[in-house]
Amino acid sequence: IMERRNKKRILWGILLLFVFFLFYYLYVLMQIFSVINKTEEHSTTIVYEEVDQCIFVKSIMWGLLGNHYRIFFSDTDHTYPEERDVIFYDSEIFYKSNGIDSLYIYKPSNIRKPEENRLLGKVKVKAITVVNGTQWDNYKRNFKNLGLSRISVYDGIELP
């Protein structure tokens, strides 16, 4: 009778340990997937007081490896790019307000090009493609000295 009780206690102990480790494993998996599927978003606003207009600049990054990203400029504040927005498929771009109602956007050369000149509300937007890699590297190093602002999908992400 004593051996039978000890066997039952051992089996119950093993079962409890199994259930504990199962729940722990599921908890760890949920934590991993919540980090992997997380969407990173960063935004800023450019105010044009003279024409009473704001341009919202947003960068979003998502995907299993973070390899899907967009940077977009819009005259309305929303989370994901819409058809009327100026959308870039780059991880980093530079921009500069010019005058009371113009915005210059500097982007690296790539296959997908948004329209070069657009109107967002009352603000004229001109996308300038930088073909020269050396010039692009200069923008990356000296954008503040050149009077440019920068937005990147990697802003705020801590790298190991």
Side-chain angles (χ1 to χ4, degrees), residues 48-51 98-102 122-123:
Y48 291 90
E49 291 178 6
E50 294 84 357
V51 292
N98 188 35
I100 62 169
D101 65 349
S102 296
K122 303 170 190 170
V123 177

Side-chain angles (χ1 to χ4, degrees), residues 50-61:
E50 294 84 357
V51 292
D52 193 31
Q53 179 75 51
C54 289
I55 299 296
F56 301 92
V57 185
K58 295 204 177 189
S59 70
I60 54 173
M61 178 175 63

Side-chain angles (χ1 to χ4, degrees), residues 35 37-42 59-62 70 153-157:
V35 169
N37 292 325
K38 186 178 177 187
T39 300
E40 289 288 333
E41 179 184 327
H42 304 284
S59 70
I60 54 173
M61 178 175 63
W62 71 96
R70 306 282 183 275
V153 296
Y154 304 114
D155 289 343
I157 296 176

Side-chain angles (χ1 to χ4, degrees), residues 90-106:
D90 297 298
S91 61
E92 174 182 58
I93 58 169
F94 300 95
Y95 60 93
K96 174 169 84 171
S97 291
N98 188 35
I100 62 169
D101 65 349
S102 296
L103 176 66
Y104 289 170
I105 303 170
Y106 300 88

